[in-house]
Amino acid sequence: NDLENHKTETHYRNALIAKVIAFRFVAYFAALYYYASVAAIGAIQGSNEGVVKNAFLRIATSLVIYLTVQHWWSLFLQIYVPLKGLRYYKDSREVKLKAELRDLEKRKQKYRQDQNLTDTQLNELHRNIANKEVLLKQGSSAVWEEMVLPDYDPFFDYVQSVIYFAYVACFSAIFPLTPLLVLINQLVNMRMHAYKICRVRRRPLAQKTGGVSSINVP
């Protein structure tokens, strides 16, 4: 979608929604509707009752997998993996800052002890030390750490909620525990997404929107 030249941000979002929904429908709903059609055709044609029960069992099993294993794996990829990468980056950054601090201390000692430098050289060394101190102070601040984090885009969080709503609306009659599992997942998502926004993503900037129609998020 980023390779297309859309006229406005609204056109870009609408095109992205159409592509994502189509892909997610094939990925998550094709098997469910296939099993549902098998059960419906079997019931209409008066086939063996075991065929219909087997199709319903496959739908229920697929829903359990989507709402448990797939959900937790998605949270693992969205939160834990980026968090580990962020911690590795912070550790390597701290090592680099410590090395820069040691180099700065060496320059300060040279500035204090070396008496053979000319006034021009002393002024240049003093200026370099002062610039280095400012850069290290800025680089070690929490603001800079947050600036290097990736942006937070709520679009796919909205898409996930739409998919869960479709599970409840379309398949609760076959698997009555679907609303309960979706409720548990959404409660967990509220806390995990809050943690993701606070620790793993950059703080989002507020933008004016016309609403949430067509998932019209900033």
Side-chain angles (χ1 to χ4, degrees):
N1 199 64
D2 293 335
L3 299 179
E4 300 175 357
N5 187 20
H6 296 283
K7 187 175 182 180
T8 63
E9 181 68 18
T10 301
H11 293 160
Y12 172 85
R13 285 292 179 179
N14 290 337
L16 180 61
I17 291 167
K19 294 181 178 68
V20 171
I21 293 298
F23 175 79
R24 295 295 176 94
F25 179 84
V26 174
Y28 296 127
F29 290 93
L32 297 175
Y33 277 107
Y34 171 76
Y35 295 138
S37 64
V38 170
I41 293 173
I44 293 173
Q45 295 179 352
S47 302
N48 186 6
E49 185 178 352
V51 175
V52 179
K53 289 184 178 181
N54 184 55
F56 284 170
L57 179 61
R58 289 177 180 271
I59 293 174
T61 304
S62 299
L63 284 172
V64 170
I65 293 174
Y66 289 152
L67 295 174
T68 55
V69 178
Q70 190 272 337
H71 174 75
W72 290 105
W73 177 248
S74 176
L75 289 179
F76 175 81
L77 294 179
Q78 292 179 12
I79 298 176
Y80 182 78
V81 173
L83 186 61
K84 294 297 289 185
L86 179 62
R87 288 179 178 174
Y88 174 77
Y89 169 78
K90 285 184 176 180
D91 293 340
S92 60
R93 186 165 165 271
E94 287 180 0
V95 172
K96 187 175 181 180
L97 285 175
K98 290 179 180 179
E100 294 288 345
L101 286 173
R102 288 193 296 268
D103 180 66
L104 182 61
E105 290 297 328
K106 291 180 181 179
R107 291 191 179 188
K108 287 183 177 181
Q109 290 180 1
K110 181 179 179 181
Y111 177 74
R112 298 190 189 100
Q113 298 175 0
D114 198 342
Q115 304 295 330
N116 298 322
L117 296 177
T118 63
D119 292 341
T120 303
Q121 291 175 331
L122 286 174
N123 291 333
E124 182 69 21
L125 184 58
H126 177 73
R127 186 165 54 252
N128 290 336
I129 292 174
N131 291 336
K132 198 77 169 181
E133 287 180 337
V134 172
L135 291 176
L136 288 176
K137 183 178 180 180
Q138 293 176 350
S140 59
S141 65
V143 176
W144 180 259
E145 291 182 358
E146 186 175 347
M147 283 298 298
V148 299
L149 296 177
D151 292 328
Y152 172 68
D153 187 0
F155 174 78
F156 291 99
D157 295 340
Y158 275 80
V159 171
Q160 188 179 47
S161 298
V162 171
I163 292 173
Y164 284 162
F165 174 78
Y167 285 155
V168 174
C170 299
F171 300 104
S172 294
I174 298 176
F175 186 56
L177 290 179
T178 300
L180 177 62
L181 293 176
V182 169
L183 175 62
I184 294 173
N185 286 346
Q186 290 297 90
L187 293 176
V188 172
N189 282 345
M190 289 173 59
R191 303 307 304 172
M192 298 303 291
H193 290 161
Y195 181 83
K196 178 175 68 175
I197 294 173
C198 295
R199 298 296 182 87
V200 188
R201 293 289 186 270
R202 191 187 309 171
R203 186 181 308 173
L205 299 176
Q207 297 182 13
K208 293 178 63 177
T209 64
V212 295
S213 59
S214 299
I215 317 182
N216 184 17
V217 295

